[in-house]
């Protein structure tokens, strides 16, 4: 008994198949014309290819007959159905988690960097012209257009099952970003009623076309550069014209995409007045859920007439409450990493450099910037500097406010936390829980979706610059290295004089120092453990001082009990320099990962400013210090660690010579004055306007 049947008569005859469900037990695909028989056989062949290429997707098996294919019916919901159910319950977080699960599946498939527009098979199917044959993409080796959320069924044990294998392309021809874009389009088409009926401030949408609303968090998660969207739409339309008798082309949206604002006001004038009165009384805390920072150039023009009138009045009211500035504020700084060391080095030190350059500035954090913005003289700012913040409606609007005036928007980031490979590394670490990984994944997507709207970026190291440039070729990315603040330099100067004043025979015990700081260095420390065991066992007068978060491996418990290893908790930043007292040699072990390769030289210059040399694992930044003659020696292997520690222990004069090099290098290269000039050069490149001209 046939309980369901679907026949796509809009398709061309060679692709016209009828899908039948028999008694909730089996699904049959039937060729509706002789021309469709080859397509039926292609599906059966595709299944065999997918079984070998992507076994993790568990493609459902087919049995080929004369003019039909039969497969068992799986009573599992699709990812699209799970998302729809969550939306109907207004559980937006759950809906997004299902979408992230889909992304993780696609990102687990192997890819190869290639040029699809040089592939005749790809061009024939998707593009009537080849405007940019040198455009490269990460292309799926499992190039199936059917890898969308509607075709992935999720069993009770959370395993995916692919139920459709109609469109499988040759290897290395399908850009992964194009597949993800098509999947988001398909999902938004299928769930348009659920999306339109349940939009809220927690689920903002892009109005992609008059009928199509795409949730911002889904589209932004794809990390698409804006110029790719019209290109992908043209590919999609060309494909539809080949397989359909009456294709409905998707129009290209205006770029940049405009956010749809789901809030609306009732027609009742009394209700409108009441809401306006309550909003104005609540200013500015309610501002974050209402209209901010757009006049004629933003999505205000897309709103309904009563809301547009209200929003203009609200914006005018907010500006009227802004007090006249006592002095101009040229740079607006927003930090997304408040209460962290990153905030200290990338935000507070950035503001110190602005002070040295006599550039007025105003600094906010993402915890408090929304209530304060209405009272700031936004028209006076000439540059927006955002450090490590994740995407939000308010920040996107603020970025648009600056970009609409052709002003630079700079995103600053100081770690490789925007690279999906970094998440894979964390996933393999026992120190990260599933919840921590989920938070890291949200941050990654939030960083990337915000970076692509900025005009410039700053990073502290060349490897970071290279990694970010690969993801965002349109960005102008500059180096803005880390350094010490003047107060820390002054404190370090006192310790350095004491260290350098000692005779060439250092006092015993000989103290090694390790300062992990944050609770993310357990795997790094393991690099050091084999050498430490041998050094501490053979030389009782060598001690190790650890300050910061670290889980000591059990192999070192014996030395803790003997007093050769002391471990104290992390201290506030302004007390860190004092912890280097009586330390003779600084240690900086690093696991050899892409994340660590992009890290800056913080651990080197804190110790070096105190006239303490450093032994470190090799990384591009640290190897450059060693090459220029700084006070640092790299240790590629465990024997190198052991030999260098003992060599410096037995040769006090060599230790002192290295200490002098570290001190001189750090005093010259890591001061606020030195780096304020670097910032001045960067501002000059940005044509940053100030009173009196450009730096």
């Amino acid at each position: 008994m046939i309980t369901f049947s679907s026949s796509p008569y809009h398709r061309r005859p060679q692709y016209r198949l009828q899908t039948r469900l028999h008694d909730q037990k089996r699904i049959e695909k039937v060729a509706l014309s002789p021309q469709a028989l080859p397509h039926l056989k292609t599906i059966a062949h595709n299944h065999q290819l997918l079984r070998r290429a992507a076994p993790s997707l568990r493609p459902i098996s087919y049995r080929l007959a004369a003019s039909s294919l039969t497969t068992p019916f799986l009573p599992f919901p699709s990812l699209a159905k799970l998302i729809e159910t969550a939306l109907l319950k207004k559980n937006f977080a759950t809906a997004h988690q299902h979408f992230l699960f889909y992304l993780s599946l696609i990102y687990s498939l192997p890819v190869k960097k290639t040029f699809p527009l040089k592939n005749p098979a790809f061009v024939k199917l998707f593009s009537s012209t080849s405007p940019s044959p040198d455009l490269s993409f990460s292309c799926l080796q499992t190039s199936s257009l059917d890898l969308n959320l509607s075709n992935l069924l999720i069993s009770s044990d959370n395993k995916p099952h692919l139920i459709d294998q109609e469109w499988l392309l040759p290897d290395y021809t399908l850009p992964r970003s194009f597949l993800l874009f098509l999947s988001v389009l398909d999902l938004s088409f299928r769930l348009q009623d659920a999306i339109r009926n349940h939009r809220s401030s927690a689920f903002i949408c892009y109005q992609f076309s008059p009928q199509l609303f795409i949730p911002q968090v889904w589209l932004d998660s794809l990390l698409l550069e804006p110029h790719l969207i019209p290109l992908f739409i043209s590919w999609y339309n060309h494909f539809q014209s080949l397989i359909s008798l009456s294709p409905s082309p998707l129009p290209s949206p205006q770029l940049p995409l405009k956010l749809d604002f789901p809030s609306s006001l009732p027609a009742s004038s009394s209700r409108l007045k009441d809401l306006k009165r309550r909003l104005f009384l609540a200013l500015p805390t309610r501002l974050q859920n209402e209209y901010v920072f757009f006049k004629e150039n933003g999505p205000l023009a897309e709103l309904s007439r009563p809301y547009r009138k209200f929003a203009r009045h609200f914006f005018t009211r907010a500006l009227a409450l802004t007090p006249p500035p006592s002095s101009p504020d040229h740079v607006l700084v927003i930090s997304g990493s408040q209460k962290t060391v990153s905030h200290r080095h990338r935000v507070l030190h950035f503001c110190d450099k602005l002070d040295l350059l006599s550039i007025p500035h105003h600094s906010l954090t993402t915890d408090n910037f929304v209530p304060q913005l209405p009272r700031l003289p936004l028209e006076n700012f000439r540059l927006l500097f955002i450090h490590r913040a994740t995407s939000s409606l308010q920040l996107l609007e603020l970025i648009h406010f600056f970009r609409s005036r052709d002003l630079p928007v700079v995103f600053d980031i100081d770690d490789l936390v925007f690279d999906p490979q970094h998440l894979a590394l964390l996933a393999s670490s026992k120190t990260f829980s599933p919840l921590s990984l989920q938070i890291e994944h949200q941050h990654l997507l939030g960083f990337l979706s915000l970076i692509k709207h900025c005009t410039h970026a700053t990073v502290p190291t060349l490897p970071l610059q290279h990694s970010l440039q690969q993801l965002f070729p349109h960005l102008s990315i500059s180096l803005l290295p880390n350094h010490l603040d003047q107060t820390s330099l002054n404190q370090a100067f006192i310790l350095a004089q004491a260290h350098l004043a000692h005779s060439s025979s250092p006092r015993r015990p000989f103290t090694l120092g390790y300062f992990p700081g944050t609770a993310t260095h357990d795997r790094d420390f393991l690099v050091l453990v084999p050498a430490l065991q041998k050094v501490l066992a053979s030389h009782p007068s060598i001690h190790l001082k650890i300050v910061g978060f670290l889980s000591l491996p059990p192999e070192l418990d014996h030395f803790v009990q003997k007093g050769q290893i002391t471990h104290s908790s992390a201290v506030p930043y302004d007390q860190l320099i004092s912890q280097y007292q009586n330390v003779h040699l600084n240690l900086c072990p690093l696991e050899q990962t892409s994340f660590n390769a992009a890290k800056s030289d913080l651990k080197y210059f804190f110790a070096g400013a105190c006239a303490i040399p450093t032994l470190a694992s090799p990384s591009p930044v640290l190897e450059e210090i060693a090459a220029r003659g700084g006070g640092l020696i790299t240790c590629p292997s465990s024997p190198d660690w052991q030999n260098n520690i003992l060599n410096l222990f037995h040769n006090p004069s060599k230790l002192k010579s290295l200490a002098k090099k570290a001190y001189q290098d750090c005093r010259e290269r890591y001061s606020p004055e030195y780096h304020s000039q670097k910032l001045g050069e960067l501002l000059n490149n940005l044509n940053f306007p100030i009173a009196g001209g450009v730096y």
Side-chain angles (χ1 to χ4, degrees):
M1 176 181 176
I2 298 177
T3 55
F4 172 81
S5 177
S6 173
S7 302
Y9 286 100
H10 66 283
R11 283 192 175 184
R12 297 186 184 277
Q14 62 266 40
Y15 303 116
R16 198 175 296 163
L17 304 176
Q18 185 181 61
T19 302
R20 302 169 179 172
L21 174 60
H22 295 267
D23 297 322
Q24 303 289 320
K25 292 182 179 179
R26 61 188 176 92
I27 296 175
E28 183 183 29
K29 286 185 177 290
V30 180
L32 295 180
S33 67
Q35 299 99 307
L37 287 174
H39 191 56
L40 204 65
K41 295 177 181 178
T42 297
I43 296 175
H45 180 62
N46 288 348
H47 166 68
Q48 300 299 323
L49 296 177
L50 280 166
R51 282 184 62 185
R52 294 194 296 268
S56 62
L57 297 178
R58 296 169 181 79
I60 192 169
S61 61
Y62 283 104
R63 182 165 56 86
L64 180 63
S67 60
S68 67
L69 281 172
T70 305
T71 187
F73 171 73
L74 296 182
F76 305 137
S78 68
L79 274 172
K81 186 63 178 178
L82 291 173
I83 290 175
E84 181 180 29
T85 302
L87 289 181
L88 292 175
K89 295 179 179 179
K90 297 189 176 181
N91 193 336
F92 307 115
T94 299
H96 187 50
Q97 285 305 309
H98 291 313
F99 182 79
L100 292 181
F101 177 73
Y102 169 73
L103 282 186
S104 67
L105 284 178
I106 302 304
Y107 270 93
S108 70
L109 300 175
V111 294
K112 179 179 180 179
K113 202 79 169 180
T114 188
F115 305 89
L117 288 172
K118 291 184 177 180
N119 186 320
F122 181 88
V123 173
K124 180 179 179 181
L125 199 57
F126 292 107
S127 178
S128 56
T129 60
S130 302
S132 303
D134 292 328
L135 199 62
S136 66
F137 292 90
S138 294
C139 291
L140 291 167
Q141 297 184 35
T142 311
S143 297
S144 174
L145 284 174
D146 294 308
L147 298 178
N148 58 55
L149 294 97
S150 301
N151 290 335
L152 285 165
L153 306 187
I154 307 301
S155 57
S156 56
D157 57 354
N158 209 37
K159 303 295 184 183
H161 299 266
L162 182 63
I163 61 169
D164 205 345
Q165 296 114 47
E166 187 174 2
W167 299 105
L168 185 70
L169 308 175
D171 286 353
Y172 313 131
T173 58
L174 184 65
R176 178 172 58 191
S177 53
F178 180 44
L179 170 69
L180 294 174
F181 178 72
L182 293 182
S183 298
V184 169
L185 283 185
D186 175 77
L187 182 65
S188 301
F189 273 126
R190 292 174 185 269
L191 305 186
Q192 57 183 311
D193 289 339
I195 291 172
R196 290 173 68 93
N197 292 337
H198 296 284
R199 297 198 307 278
S200 77
S201 59
F203 205 65
I204 301 298
C205 296
Y206 289 114
Q207 188 167 0
F208 207 79
S209 70
Q211 291 78 33
L212 179 62
F213 292 85
I214 298 182
Q216 173 198 345
V217 67
W218 295 349
L219 191 58
D220 285 357
S221 297
L222 306 189
L223 316 178
L224 291 180
E225 297 176 35
H227 71 274
L228 290 179
I229 294 178
L231 179 65
F232 286 175
I233 290 176
S234 70
W235 291 359
Y236 167 83
N237 287 338
H238 185 74
F239 174 73
Q240 290 296 324
S241 69
L242 293 180
I243 68 169
S244 178
L245 291 171
S246 54
S248 300
L250 184 67
S252 292
Q254 290 183 337
L255 295 177
L257 288 174
K258 294 180 178 179
L259 288 169
D260 160 64
F261 282 72
S263 304
S264 60
L265 294 177
S268 167
S269 59
S270 61
R271 180 73 183 89
L272 178 62
K273 290 180 180 178
D274 177 66
L275 184 55
K276 285 169 61 174
R277 182 169 59 253
R278 288 192 294 106
L279 282 171
F280 291 149
L281 290 174
L283 192 76
T285 55
R286 286 288 299 278
L287 193 63
Q288 57 186 312
N289 295 321
E290 299 300 331
Y291 176 81
V292 284
F293 305 127
F294 278 127
K295 290 181 80 174
E296 301 300 332
N297 296 324
L300 184 57
E302 305 296 325
L303 301 173
S304 62
R305 180 172 294 178
Y307 189 71
R308 188 163 65 246
K309 180 180 178 182
F310 163 74
R312 283 203 182 99
H313 185 63
F314 185 72
F315 185 83
T316 304
R317 173 76 175 183
L319 288 180
L321 291 175
T322 302
S326 56
S327 62
D329 285 298
H330 291 304
V331 178
L332 179 59
V333 181
I334 295 179
S335 171
S337 64
Q338 49 273 20
K339 300 180 182 179
T340 68
V341 174
S342 181
H343 176 79
R344 166 75 66 168
H345 286 281
R346 305 305 296 175
V347 177
L348 298 185
H349 289 183
F350 177 75
C351 293
D352 288 344
K353 292 191 285 285
L354 292 176
D355 288 334
L356 288 171
L357 294 171
S358 300
I359 299 176
H361 56 88
H362 195 96
S363 180
L364 302 172
T365 69
T366 49
D367 286 345
N368 64 19
F369 87 99
V370 171
Q372 294 190 40
L373 280 175
R375 300 183 180 274
L376 288 179
L378 291 180
E379 297 292 337
N380 287 354
F381 290 108
R382 294 293 178 266
L383 184 145
L384 176 61
F385 182 87
I386 302 171
H387 168 67
R388 208 160 170 159
T390 59
S391 182
S392 69
L393 174 62
Q394 294 79 23
L395 270 177
L396 289 173
E397 290 176 340
L398 187 59
I399 288 172
H400 184 86
F401 178 80
F402 275 78
R403 294 197 63 174
S404 66
R405 298 161 62 212
D406 292 324
L407 296 176
V409 178
V410 180
F411 191 93
D412 178 77
I413 196 157
D414 56 344
D415 272 324
L416 195 63
V417 290
F418 49 81
D419 187 347
Q421 292 184 4
H422 171 53
L423 281 186
L425 174 66
L426 294 183
S428 66
S429 171
K430 295 180 181 178
T431 60
F432 278 81
S433 66
L435 178 59
S436 298
L437 287 173
Q438 180 178 331
I439 293 172
E440 287 288 331
H441 194 268
Q442 293 280 16
H443 284 167
L444 180 145
L445 295 178
F447 292 147
L448 290 171
S449 61
L450 193 61
I451 292 172
K452 70 180 182 182
H453 292 284
C454 299
T455 60
H456 299 76
T458 52
V459 294
T461 69
L462 279 171
L464 269 181
Q465 184 183 37
H466 177 70
S467 297
L468 194 59
Q469 198 76 74
Q470 284 187 318
L471 285 173
F472 299 101
H474 74 284
L475 279 180
S476 173
I477 305 176
S478 304
L479 283 179
L480 197 63
N482 287 323
H483 59 85
L484 279 167
D485 60 284
Q486 192 59 51
T487 300
S488 296
L489 277 173
N490 294 340
Q491 294 172 348
F493 174 79
I494 299 172
L495 286 183
Q497 298 311 303
H499 286 158
L500 295 173
H502 289 319
S503 66
S504 34
S505 178
R507 294 174 297 171
R508 296 297 189 264
F510 183 83
T511 304
L512 309 172
Y514 179 56
F515 298 80
T518 58
T520 56
H521 296 284
D522 287 358
R523 293 169 67 94
D524 292 333
F525 186 71
L526 293 178
V527 172
L528 196 57
V529 170
L532 274 180
Q533 286 182 277
K534 296 177 181 178
V535 167
L536 297 179
S538 61
H539 294 75
S541 62
I542 297 181
H543 288 199
L544 174 64
K545 177 181 181 179
I546 302 172
V547 179
F549 300 97
L550 186 70
S551 298
L552 275 173
E555 304 97 285
L556 300 180
D557 288 347
H558 170 67
F559 302 105
V560 175
Q561 294 169 4
K562 287 178 60 179
Q564 274 185 273
I565 295 180
T566 60
H567 185 189
S568 56
S569 58
V571 298
Y573 178 86
D574 56 5
Q575 299 176 23
L576 179 57
I577 290 293
S578 65
Q579 299 300 309
Y580 286 89
Q581 188 170 9
N582 298 326
V583 172
H584 298 92
L585 184 59
N586 180 51
L587 305 179
C588 181
L590 295 171
E591 186 182 16
Q592 296 301 293
T593 65
S594 58
F595 177 78
N596 282 339
K599 290 184 73 66
S600 76
D601 42 4
L602 283 174
K603 289 181 172 57
Y604 164 71
F605 64 69
F606 267 93
C610 301
I612 301 170
T614 294
L615 296 183
S617 299
S619 76
V621 175
L622 300 178
E623 287 175 314
E624 192 275 331
I625 294 171
R628 72 170 182 247
L632 181 144
I633 299 174
T634 57
C635 303
S637 66
S638 183
D640 292 322
W641 282 102
Q642 180 181 350
N643 294 336
N644 281 313
I645 291 173
L646 294 179
N647 185 21
L648 293 174
F649 170 71
H650 290 300
N651 294 276
S653 59
K654 184 175 182 180
L655 177 70
K656 190 168 185 177
S657 173
L658 200 62
K660 287 182 179 179
K661 291 180 180 179
Y663 176 69
Q664 292 168 355
D665 185 54
C666 291
R667 295 294 294 189
E668 291 176 4
R669 291 177 175 269
Y670 297 97
S671 68
E673 290 84 359
Y674 180 86
H675 285 281
S676 66
Q677 299 308 310
K678 299 295 183 183
L679 177 59
E681 294 171 7
L682 168 60
L683 295 175
N684 186 49
N685 293 334
L686 295 179
N687 295 319
F688 180 75
I690 61 166
V694 178
Y695 287 103

